[in-house]
Amino acid sequence: MTSGGTIRALVGNREFRGMWIGSTVSTVGDQLATVALSLLVFERTQSAAWTALTWSLTLFPPLISGPLLGWVADRFPRRTVMVCCAWLQAVLMALMAVPGVPLWLMVVLLVVVLMIATPFLAAQEASLPTVLPDKRYDDGVALFGTSVDVAQMVGLAAAGFLVIGAGPQVALGINAATFVWVAVLVQVSVRHRPAADPLGSQRDPEGPKGAFTLLVTEPRLRSLMGMRLLAGLAMVPEGLAVPLAASLDAVWAVGLILAIEPAANVLGVAVLFRVVRDPAKRERLIGPLAILSLAPLVMFALDPNLTWTIALLVIAGMAGAYHTPARAAWMRILPDAYRGRAYGIGRAALRSSQGGGMALAGVVAHSIGSVTATIAGAGGIGLLLATQATVAWRRARNRHDPEAVAI
């Protein structure tokens, strides 16, 4: 991802190191908890439908908690927010690990845990520009993002063995311990700083709507958000992985197709940050890479075989590395007092685009009877939207910084 010297500099930052290690370990624990609860649901109900519903519930809390709870990270000291959220999550997860807890209560507790994650993540994300010097900020965001991707893959891979071998309660208990780990790490490593927008100091009659207004009226923020929401179209192949593999007479390749996007993204971020060291140059590549992340999907109109399918998805996944500099630029542009609320809104919007895009793709594929045509159509629509967002981003960036060189 970045050079050894850069990683050493980042890890040498006490505050960053604490948040980074805690976030990575907690991500692994979250995968254990999700798999453990799904297994418990299946064991007690013997219902595939209830098991799938439980898994899908993990996607919905951010849609509600994002707009409603992101403000906590702006109104209160961010270290305090992270520590309190982590302890609350630890207690709730420990309750889930108690044998004999009713299934409905476990599901409710999981939803609450996931909702509490929003102010924690908002405070963490909003703290990074303060914790890291400007020249290290983009590298820090990249290391955070790739570490989370790897932790998710490792967590899911290990979850099945651990949950089956040790039992769901043990997995839930381990996840509770990871939250304790996070709370302690943040407490001892991150400096206390005053709230960015403390209660009573800035009376904003619009409340959270002020952040939304900023996101849709500031041209740079609006165009960056537009490019990030293209993930809803870029992830269509992942949502159609099972029927896509079946259409290729390679059902065994479902896991491979699902793993390509995160793995290729990690590789793409590594290549981008090693080849392009200047953050300003990476910002100029956001638009072209967004276009490239969708262009390979159009080629599915040619009904590619498995080899070409994998190649196209790898190219698209690597180009998806543009999300990392886009995420960094977006947070850098935001005023500090709005970062928590904006993160909550942005996270909800991104989850909505991803879930909605995959759900809509499923309906379309069923209606027209062609998985590859659906993927190609998503790519074509995405190309148009990505081109428009790229032009808007270039204009907004050049208008703000006349010395910026457009590609």
Side-chain angles (χ1 to χ4, degrees), residues 153-174:
M153 290 186 285
V154 171
L156 287 173
F161 297 103
L162 180 62
V163 172
I164 296 296
Q169 268 74 29
V170 172
L172 293 172
I174 291 174

Side-chain angles (χ1 to χ4, degrees), residues 91-406:
V91 170
L92 295 174
M93 193 57 63
L95 289 176
M96 290 176 61
V98 175
V101 174
L103 195 56
W104 67 267
L105 181 57
M106 295 184 71
V107 173
V108 170
L109 290 173
L110 178 63
V111 170
V112 175
V113 167
L114 293 173
M115 291 189 71
I116 295 173
T118 287
F120 176 91
L121 293 172
Q124 178 178 265
E125 189 83 4
S127 296
L128 287 179
T130 305
V131 166
L132 292 172
D134 289 343
K135 65 178 181 179
R136 299 294 186 197
Y137 175 61
D138 286 57
D139 295 314
V141 170
L143 182 57
F144 242 91
T146 53
S147 297
V148 168
D149 284 341
V150 172
Q152 287 176 335
M153 290 186 285
V154 171
L156 287 173
F161 297 103
L162 180 62
V163 172
I164 296 296
Q169 268 74 29
V170 172
L172 293 172
I174 291 174
N175 194 31
T178 65
F179 287 122
V180 174
W181 174 283
V182 171
V184 173
L185 273 179
V186 172
Q187 181 68 46
V188 301
S189 62
V190 178
R191 287 174 45 201
H192 173 81
R193 294 178 177 86
D197 184 16
L199 288 171
S201 67
Q202 297 182 23
R203 298 189 179 276
D204 181 1
E206 292 186 306
K209 292 182 180 178
F212 179 78
T213 300
L214 177 66
L215 293 178
V216 298
T217 57
E218 212 288 343
R220 292 173 299 164
L221 294 174
R222 185 175 62 243
S223 56
L224 283 172
M225 176 58 74
M227 280 188 279
R228 296 208 64 197
L229 293 182
L230 292 171
L233 294 168
M235 291 184 68
V236 164
E238 189 172 343
L240 298 176
V242 173
L244 176 60
S247 70
L248 295 168
D249 293 324
V251 178
W252 58 268
V254 171
L256 176 61
I257 292 173
L258 289 172
I260 286 175
E261 193 276 332
N265 185 260
V266 170
L267 178 60
V269 172
V271 172
L272 176 62
F273 276 71
R274 181 166 292 276
V275 174
V276 184
R277 300 298 181 89
D278 184 3
K281 291 181 179 179
R282 288 196 293 264
E283 286 188 7
R284 292 198 293 271
L285 288 173
I286 291 174
L289 286 175
I291 293 173
L292 182 58
S293 72
L294 290 152
L297 302 190
V298 178
M299 300 302 294
F300 276 85
L302 301 178
D303 291 320
N305 59 25
L306 180 60
T307 301
W308 278 106
T309 292
I310 292 173
L312 292 172
L313 293 180
V314 168
I315 294 171
M318 290 184 65
Y322 80 87
H323 284 281
T324 297
R327 169 184 168 188
W330 192 71
M331 191 60 71
R332 187 187 296 111
I333 294 168
L334 279 165
D336 188 40
Y338 285 90
R339 284 174 178 161
R341 285 168 285 176
Y343 174 84
I345 295 170
R347 185 174 183 234
L350 188 59
R351 286 293 185 94
S352 297
S353 73
Q354 292 170 334
M358 289 190 285
L360 182 59
V363 173
V364 172
H366 177 75
S367 300
I368 67 177
S370 173
V371 174
T372 53
T374 300
I375 296 174
I381 294 171
L383 271 180
L384 295 175
L385 295 176
T387 301
Q388 182 182 24
T390 297
V391 172
W393 165 239
R394 182 192 303 174
R395 288 176 178 171
R397 188 169 178 272
N398 289 344
R399 191 159 48 239
H400 184 267
D401 181 10
E403 295 183 0
V405 180

Side-chain angles (χ1 to χ4, degrees), residues 19 78-86 120 123-124 127 186 190:
M19 291 192 290
R78 286 167 179 156
R79 185 185 73 172
T80 302
V81 172
M82 286 187 281
V83 171
C84 289
C85 288
F120 176 91
Q124 178 178 265
S127 296
V186 172
V190 178

Side-chain angles (χ1 to χ4, degrees), residues 23-40:
S23 175
T24 304
V25 172
S26 179
T27 298
V28 174
D30 289 343
Q31 310 313 308
L32 296 180
T34 302
V35 173
L37 184 58
S38 297
L39 181 60
L40 276 173

